[in-house]
Each structure stands twice: as structure tokens, then as C-alpha cells.
Amino acid sequence: MSSTQPSPVKAVVAPKAATKPYPFWLGGVAASIAGACTHPLDLTKVRLQTTGDKGMINSIRKTVASNGVRGLFDGLTGTLLRQMTYSTMRFAVYDKAKAAVHTEAGPPPAWKMALAGSIAGGIAGLIGNPAELMMVRMQADKAKPQRGSQSVRSMLKPLPERYNYRNSIQGLYRMTKEEGFSSWGRGIVPNGARAVLMNMSQLASYDWLKQELIHMKVLEDGPVLHFVASLGAGTVATTVCSPADVLKSRIMNAHGPGSTSTMAVIRTSLANEGPMFMFKGWLPAWTRLQPTTILIFLTLEQLKKGVDRYRASGGTML
């Protein structure tokens, strides 16, 4: 007499649902908030790079004495336009590029993060160049002397004219009308190089430091970890980007067709100041980039957590 044994029922394992990506514009929003908070430091850095001002504190005092405390926020619309174009694009492309270059299991190695950051920086630097131009010009504008205010010494050479843009949108319109569409590409080589270096060093080092600190069980994922990782990322990025940043600011702020090429600026700066001109403004650049980097990543992480909470509560719009 035979008995038939029921075959065991195999458990059906549902495939793991793909994680829904975060909105692409979160990085731009986080960068805009950080940029607005640290704008006076960025303005001071640009003025140190493009004028004869000596020392960060002295430059800040000069700005306040000439234009009041409100003068520390000259060119804010240029900063916001730049963050919502350049920064939105770099964060969005970085996540896509990282997923494309690393398809294996586990976290990506540092070189793949750097490669993804370089790709993101190159694309974002190209798209955000016109907004970068506006930001630099508007920040440097009021540091230039007015016509008729030159001293006997300064009468030996022509004074640079102020652009006097009302805001970044009007500035783009005027620049296009007065200088042609080709002006949108002014400084694109050093700006593109800086964007590649910035994202390769800032985004990749933040991700790598965060990953390593968690792996070594030094810190748990949270605000303290985000702060420490962004502190390291800001220092690395400032040092790596300083030469391209100085060249970008000087080229974008230059007048005249013969004075705006990269090689012309390098030759003139080397002759007048020596090779260390490439690190001029490093302290205000670090002082500005450090809180900016910290604010960007802390804000971005909180925005992501906010999106997670919204989705967990049943929200479907994000």
C-alpha cells in the first residue's frame, strides 16, 4: 500500500522593489539655501581674487564701509541662479553617473565615485557657465572704482567699468545683447576644469568618508557623521580647486578681447604675483566653502529624510 506524500510548497519570495530615486532638484534646493547663508564669504573671496584687496577681514570692512551691511549680499540673485542650474545638475548627474559606472554589488570604490563626480562636474559646469558668469560679475562689480574717482596714480591706467546689472536675469539679457551669445562661454575652460575638480573632490570625498566612517564603525549614520564627512570634503575640495577658481574669477571679470584668454591671464598673473597667485583667496575660499559644504550636505540629508517621511505617510507626489 503506497502513500503519496505531498510535495513541499516552496515559499514565493517577492522581488525586492527598486528604491525610488529622490527628486532631482533636491541638491539645487539644498545648495541654494547654503549659498544664501554663506554669500558674504563667497563675495569676499571673489573680490580678493579679482581686485587688489588684501586680507579677508579688510575686504569685508571695505565692503561694509562702501555699501553697508546690505553690500555683503551684492549679487545674491546671481548666486541663486547659479545654484539652481549648476548645483541642481551636478547632484542629479552624479547619482545617475554613479549608478552607471558601478553596477556590481556593494558600495562603489573611491575611483568610481571620483569618476562619477568628474562626469557630473563637466556637464554641470557647461550648463551652469552663464549663471556662474553673472554671479562673479555681480559680486565683483561694486569693488571696482567709479568713473571720476581715480587718484593720480590710478589715472595712468584706465579704470574697469562697472556692469551695474539689476539682477541675474537682466544681466544675462544685457550681456547677450551687448556681447553676443558667445559671451555665455567666457571662462568656460577654467570654470569647467574647476567644476570637474570640485565635484570629483567634494562629492566623491563626502561619499567615501561617510562610507568609510560607517564601515569602521566610528560613527553611525546621522547628523554628526554628515558633519564630519562634509568637513573633510570641504577641505579637500578647496585645495584641489583653488588654481582653477582663481583663473575662472579673473577671466570672467576681465574686460577687453585681448585680456580674457586663459593663457593671457596666467602670463599676467605669474609676472605680477608669482605662482602663488593660484592660491590667492584660499582662506576665504575655505572659510566660505567649508560652511557651504556642511550646510549643503546637512540640508540635503534632511531633505531626503523629509521625502522618506512623506512617502512613508502615503504621499505620492515626491
Side-chain angles (χ1 to χ4, degrees), residues 85-86 89-90 93 97 117-129 192 195-196:
T85 51
Y86 164 73
M89 187 58 59
R90 73 184 180 116
V93 174
S118 300
I119 294 169
I123 295 172
L126 179 67
I127 292 173
N129 198 71
V196 169

Side-chain angles (χ1 to χ4, degrees), residues 17-194:
T19 304
K20 185 179 178 181
Y22 291 104
F24 74 93
W25 43 263
L26 283 188
V29 172
S32 295
I33 294 170
C37 292
T38 60
H39 183 80
L41 295 172
D42 194 35
L43 177 139
T44 303
K45 178 206 71 173
V46 169
R47 289 185 177 177
L48 281 170
Q49 291 174 343
T50 57
T51 70
D53 288 355
K54 303 290 184 182
M56 181 177 66
I57 302 301
N58 181 59
S59 182
I60 291 173
R61 285 175 178 168
K62 184 177 175 182
T63 298
V64 173
S66 302
N67 305 296
V69 175
R70 187 176 178 181
L72 293 172
F73 291 89
D74 286 338
L76 180 60
T77 62
T79 293
L80 295 177
L81 178 65
R82 184 245 191 188
Q83 299 297 2
M84 288 308 295
T85 51
Y86 164 73
S87 289
T88 297
M89 187 58 59
R90 73 184 180 116
F91 278 103
V93 174
Y94 177 65
D95 288 337
K96 295 288 185 184
K98 195 164 55 171
V101 300
H102 183 71
T103 55
E104 298 84 2
W111 72 267
K112 287 188 177 181
M113 294 180 186
L115 176 60
S118 300
I119 294 169
I123 295 172
L126 179 67
I127 292 173
N129 198 71
E132 189 87 25
L133 256 169
M134 282 299 102
M135 183 184 75
V136 169
R137 287 186 173 187
M138 293 177 74
Q139 288 177 349
D141 216 26
K142 288 187 180 178
K144 300 173 184 175
Q146 289 274 34
R147 288 286 184 184
S149 64
Q150 62 262 52
S151 63
V152 175
R153 272 180 79 185
S154 65
M155 287 175 69
L156 298 175
K157 59 182 180 179
L159 292 173
E161 295 179 355
R162 292 185 179 183
Y163 294 106
N164 292 319
Y165 298 141
R166 289 198 301 269
N167 54 62
S168 56
I169 303 301
Q170 186 256 3
L172 278 175
Y173 170 77
R174 269 190 51 200
M175 186 177 72
T176 306
K177 184 179 179 181
E178 296 166 8
E179 304 171 50
F181 273 110
S182 61
S183 63
W184 286 39
R186 177 173 288 183
I188 200 167
V189 173
N191 186 45
R194 176 191 175 277

Side-chain angles (χ1 to χ4, degrees), residues 226-270:
H226 305 154
F227 176 84
V228 172
S230 57
L231 189 69
T235 302
V236 171
T238 303
T239 306
V240 170
C241 296
S242 183
D245 197 28
V246 172
L247 287 174
K248 177 210 71 172
S249 294
R250 294 189 177 193
I251 290 170
M252 288 183 169
N253 194 49
H255 278 270
S259 63
T260 60
S261 72
T262 302
M263 289 311 300
V265 170
I266 291 175
R267 283 194 297 267
T268 302
S269 299
L270 280 173

